[in-house]
Amino acid sequence: MEREGKTINTTLPELPSRSVLYNISPIGTGTADAESLTSYLTRLINAHNLNAGVFFRKIIYPYLGKETFPRDGLVPKKSSSFNNFHQGAWELVSALKELTTVSTLEGHTLLDFSTFLSNYEVSSSKYWCPHCYQETKDRKLPIFDKLLWVLDIVEICHVHNCKLICSCLSCNTEQYHLSRNGTIGYCYKCGSWLGYTKNDKTIEVSKEYLQWQQWIIENIIDLLLLNNYERDRIKKTWVNYEDNVNKFFNKIFDEVFEKYSIYKTKFFNLVRIPNRLYYNWDKGKQRIGLISLLKISYVTGIKLKKFLLMEIELDICLRQLPEFIYDNNLRYKSHKKYDIDELRKEIIEIIYDKDNPPPSLAKVARSFGYKNSRTLKTKLPNECNIIIKNYKNYMSENKKEKKKAISEAVTHLLENGVYPSQKSVERKLGKTSYFWNHSNRVLLNEICKEKGVVRKKGPHTKIEIK
Ligand SMILES: [Zn+2]
Ligand SMILES: [Zn+2]
């Protein structure tokens, strides 16, 4: 963001620049224990004795020049996005960098992996290790949340070999990455301590599951430890997402066939990934989720980091996934358990939420830990029908608005003699990665067709796999 230059009185010696907010150092920068951005932010807000809502309304949003924002300044349920790689994280990092003069905050989000990661890697609830909290407290160090824990596939603490948890041990309230009056380590609702004392019982996990998780975490830590040069390389390399995916899989298919006479279909059988998913990756409809990548990585022996850096001089040595994955019973993080009244109350709250766009039923179901939205619909049919209706209306309105905005951008570009490529339309709209979304791409193509513009082939053109 451009700021106006300050007038400096040249008769006085220039003072070293002062930060607007305390310049608290983030914990664990560049290490496996790097704290999450929301953890840093909570500590920063606490240091100023503020409420997170006020902090956003009075400091962050005015700084960013935002005119519209949530009424209370913050939607705790959505605060996971600050640790992710979307617009919100980017804006917050740039504001905090300037206000605190701490320059390393990107490393406390997933921003460096924005061209690579899929949209669904960060869980909306906050997960933490109660033993880590307790130990840090006993050592009288500042309590913090690790960036590692924000990833949905990370289910255990690799230091204590215990399950991460997401709700208060006393009142069972689900905790968010950021809450209005939160202090890390304490329930935002009842104020109870969220760590384990020595006598508390840890949830037992099987040895096999533990090993699988340890292996996942090892691969994720590799990413957290990447230096700036490597991070830069990843950002640039993965702009050509589909090309990379094609290159990578072609290499795997060739080698697996040569060495083991295994065809594509059999290979995906082996890694327990439906062919349909591969089809979506190949067509650029969907990015590969970390869990799929890690399964492929485990079976082929190619480390996740190598894949990201596209250092794919392969020497595949196939091995089977751990048994428990084959029995289709892959463990998911345990969600908070709701009774029916509590569930109804939460869903009605979603229906009347005017600060956020109405979510799809699938998304609502997922947020309550149901893998299938039908389960939720059998429990609360009326409420679910309202959710479905609202979402449908919203989507059709949204499509109209989007179409209008894209159409205006295209017209403007054409009038100025600029070809409406995805990049130039994105620039005009002031949005990044806008055309990663398949439906947005379809809209653009439709509009171009209507205006008689012939689409040029861009970097996202599919390459045939022989
Ligand atoms: Zn721990
Ligand atoms: Zn509580």
Side-chain angles (χ1 to χ4, degrees):
M1 175 172 291
E2 291 294 327
R3 312 212 76 197
E4 278 176 22
K6 288 178 196 140
T7 357
I8 295 162
N9 187 344
T10 43
T11 54
L12 290 169
E14 210 176 306
L15 290 166
S17 65
R18 296 286 193 270
S19 59
V20 178
L21 299 172
Y22 296 141
N23 71 335
I24 297 176
S25 301
I27 296 169
T29 306
T31 71
D33 290 332
E35 77 178 316
S36 67
L37 185 66
T38 50
S39 166
Y40 176 75
L41 189 57
T42 307
R43 296 194 303 114
L44 184 70
I45 293 171
N46 287 167
H48 288 86
N49 240 328
L50 287 172
N51 155 305
V54 174
F55 184 84
F56 273 88
R57 270 192 295 123
K58 301 281 184 198
I59 300 172
I60 299 296
Y61 292 132
Y63 176 85
L64 292 170
K66 278 210 185 246
E67 279 159 14
T68 50
F69 44 79
R71 206 176 35 220
D72 299 329
L74 170 76
V75 185
K77 236 180 193 162
K78 297 184 103 188
S79 58
S80 60
S81 63
F82 294 132
N83 294 321
N84 212 327
F85 54 81
H86 297 124
Q87 185 80 2
W90 185 81
E91 286 176 348
L92 183 59
V93 164
S94 56
L96 288 179
K97 266 164 96 170
E98 183 91 3
L99 296 168
T100 61
T101 69
V102 175
S103 62
T104 52
L105 293 173
E106 263 113 333
H108 296 270
T109 67
L110 300 176
L111 278 166
D112 286 340
F113 308 108
S114 64
T115 52
F116 171 80
L117 286 178
S118 84
N119 272 326
Y120 308 102
E121 309 294 2
V122 175
S123 39
S124 61
S125 325
K126 182 177 94 166
Y127 281 82
W128 72 91
C129 165
H131 290 293
C132 280
Y133 272 7
Q134 190 66 46
E135 266 183 30
T136 321
K137 188 186 183 196
D138 292 345
R139 288 163 64 198
K140 298 191 168 44
L141 293 170
I143 294 147
F144 68 100
D145 293 317
K146 293 183 189 181
L147 181 62
L148 187 63
W149 298 339
V150 311
L151 287 166
D152 212 21
I153 48 163
V154 174
E155 301 180 349
I156 65 154
C157 165
H158 66 295
V159 182
H160 297 101
N161 281 341
C162 63
K163 268 206 139 179
L164 300 178
I165 57 170
C166 69
S167 37
C168 170
L169 301 158
S170 309
C171 73
N172 196 26
T173 301
E174 185 179 359
Q175 304 291 308
Y176 301 118
H177 296 249
L178 204 60
S179 40
R180 284 198 192 88
N181 288 305
T183 307
I184 300 179
Y186 296 88
C187 171
Y188 76 87
K189 199 158 184 192
C190 74
S192 298
W193 169 239
L194 299 174
Y196 276 151
T197 52
K198 284 203 174 58
N199 301 325
D200 283 316
K201 218 170 157 238
T202 310
I203 307 162
E204 288 287 326
V205 282
S206 79
K207 201 175 144 209
E208 213 182 13
Y209 168 71
L210 212 74
Q211 280 171 347
W212 168 243
Q213 274 289 313
Q214 291 277 16
W215 183 83
I216 284 182
I217 291 169
E218 199 185 287
N219 272 273
I220 302 285
I221 288 178
D222 277 352
L223 305 192
L224 297 182
L225 296 181
L226 290 171
N227 60 34
N228 288 341
Y229 167 74
E230 291 166 318
R231 284 163 185 257
D232 245 17
R233 226 173 90 198
I234 288 169
K235 262 188 260 178
K236 285 184 193 130
T237 310
W238 285 89
V239 168
N240 297 318
Y241 192 88
E242 283 161 68
D243 288 353
N244 284 7
V245 168
N246 279 312
K247 229 188 272 172
F248 177 69
F249 280 105
N250 278 338
K251 258 192 148 165
I252 290 191
F253 297 150
D254 283 350
E255 195 167 323
V256 166
F257 184 73
E258 216 170 275
K259 263 186 151 167
Y260 299 91
S261 310
I262 283 177
Y263 283 108
K264 217 152 85 177
T265 324
K266 175 102 191 285
F267 174 75
F268 282 112
N269 245 332
L270 204 64
V271 288
R272 301 298 283 186
I273 290 172
N275 259 299
R276 175 184 47 83
L277 262 188
Y278 170 67
Y279 174 85
N280 286 349
W281 305 335
D282 184 44
K283 298 277 181 256
K285 286 185 177 173
Q286 192 182 338
R287 290 194 189 176
I288 313 178
L290 272 180
I291 186 67
S292 296
L293 265 181
L294 284 160
K295 285 198 238 169
I296 294 167
S297 172
Y298 188 91
V299 169
T300 56
I302 306 162
K303 293 218 99 183
L304 184 62
K305 174 183 168 181
K306 296 253 167 197
F307 176 50
L308 253 80
L309 291 165
M310 283 305 276
E311 288 168 354
I312 43 170
E313 284 317 312
L314 305 185
D315 184 18
I316 293 177
C317 189
L318 291 184
R319 62 170 167 172
Q320 293 228 319
L321 283 172
E323 270 308 312
F324 75 94
I325 293 181
Y326 284 97
D327 66 15
N328 256 340
N329 201 12
L330 188 57
R331 281 166 210 241
Y332 292 90
K333 270 185 180 158
S334 47
H335 277 75
K336 187 197 154 191
K337 301 268 183 286
Y338 292 89
D339 68 38
I340 190 80
D341 291 329
E342 223 180 337
L343 198 60
R344 182 176 293 113
K345 212 177 120 215
E346 293 265 345
I347 289 191
I348 289 174
E349 213 170 277
I350 294 174
I351 292 174
Y352 286 106
D353 177 10
K354 293 284 167 269
D355 293 333
N356 294 293
S360 67
L361 185 63
K363 191 171 171 190
V364 173
R366 258 203 315 273
S367 74
F368 291 107
Y370 296 102
K371 269 175 250 160
N372 193 332
S373 49
R374 254 173 305 172
T375 324
L376 186 61
K377 213 176 159 193
T378 2
K379 283 181 195 262
L380 297 166
N382 294 336
E383 287 79 0
C384 286
N385 281 334
I386 300 176
I387 297 255
I388 293 171
K389 200 180 107 218
N390 288 351
Y391 182 66
K392 225 170 152 184
N393 290 343
Y394 166 74
M395 286 310 280
S396 101
E397 258 326 292
N398 191 331
K399 192 176 167 190
K400 269 186 231 155
E401 273 170 34
K402 266 187 183 172
K403 191 159 180 184
K404 190 167 162 255
I406 299 175
S407 181
E408 278 170 8
V410 170
T411 309
H412 189 269
L413 290 169
L414 289 172
E415 278 169 4
N416 287 287
V418 180
Y419 169 72
S421 65
Q422 292 184 1
K423 267 257 138 46
S424 54
V425 177
E426 274 178 356
R427 224 172 289 138
K428 190 79 206 126
L429 292 171
K431 295 194 159 115
T432 45
S433 314
Y434 191 62
F435 292 108
W436 268 113
N437 183 317
H438 179 66
S439 59
N440 291 350
R441 274 203 312 267
V442 172
L443 269 181
L444 178 62
N445 288 341
E446 264 173 40
I447 290 161
C448 283
K449 212 169 164 191
E450 280 167 25
K451 294 186 190 292
V453 180
V454 183
R455 300 291 305 158
K456 288 182 191 167
K457 293 192 172 182
H460 297 298
T461 310
K462 184 180 106 44
I463 292 172
E464 280 302 333
I465 294 185
K466 301 268 160 23

